[in-house]
Amino acid sequence: MIDLHTHLLPEVDDGSDSLEESASIIAQMLESGVSDIVLTPHFVRGLYQTTYALKKSKLEQLNSFLHDQALSVNIILGAEIYLEPDIWREIEEEHLEIAGTDYLLVETGLYAFPGNLYEILSGLLKRGFKPILAHPERYADIVRQPQLAEDLIQRDIILQANSGSFLGYYGREVQKTVWEMIKNRFIHLIASDTHHIWDSYPGSQAASAISKYFNNDLTRLLMVDNPRNILSNRRIELSY
Ligand SMILES: [Fe+2]
């Protein structure tokens, strides 16, 4: 499995608080069959604005700590970008894309989409970025109206569900929404959005539940093939 959304770069956001914590979470993920992890610290104007230089040095520290612990995993730098008008400036200056690709992981207000959401997203598309909306199933607007997901897809927005949503970790409404979305093929990839250690890594349980309800091919597409294509900066199919 490839996990494209995690908060495991220590001390830069509300995720992992130390190298030790990151290493124990990564050990748990390795045991669950994860081979590649994208670190996506929050980038929120006025709240979390860690510079690229600091993130790079923390990435190096983490890599050497993992090496000392004999934990072999491919870790890649990205960000989870809170959408704002003109956010492309920070994206370009601070290299907020998923390393080496045109793909961006983005988020917005959980309780209400901003009125200019489509405008901001189309501005990013025009600049050649490929936005991936994190956990669409958690947005109140989509819970009320899952068809909004189709609207986003038609505008070339990629949708990333959280594995915990399939298991009810964010409540029944979100769980109902994500299953409805996957039935309609409105999900393009699944990631964990891990902040801290789990009782058990939700990726494995979500994979079994999806394989049981649908089939292994769909699980593979959403947890291995599409994430791998994103990391290789290849196109993924939005309608399938
Ligand atoms: Fe996140």
Side-chain angles (χ1 to χ4, degrees), residues 5 7 42 80 193 195:
H5 181 171
H7 299 268
H42 288 287
E80 182 176 14
D193 197 4
H195 284 68

Side-chain angles (χ1 to χ4, degrees), residues 9-10 19 26 39 56-77:
L9 194 66
L19 287 169
I26 288 169
L39 311 174
K56 283 288 272 187
S57 95
K58 284 189 173 277
L59 179 74
E60 272 169 38
Q61 279 172 33
L62 179 58
N63 255 325
S64 78
F65 193 80
L66 294 174
H67 184 260
D68 292 347
Q69 309 269 313
L71 294 170
S72 161
V73 66
N74 180 27
I75 54 175
I76 299 146
L77 198 55

Side-chain angles (χ1 to χ4, degrees), residues 6 8 23-25 32 42 51 63 66 105 110 117 123 129-130 132 140 165 167 179 199 201 211 220 235-236:
T6 69
L8 302 182
S24 31
I25 299 169
S32 311
H42 288 287
T51 61
N63 255 325
L66 294 174
L105 184 68
L110 283 179
L117 178 65
F129 293 117
K130 295 177 179 152
I132 303 169
S165 298
L167 311 171
W179 280 102
D199 289 339
Y201 177 68
S211 294
R220 202 185 156 76
R235 234 175 60 80
I236 65 166

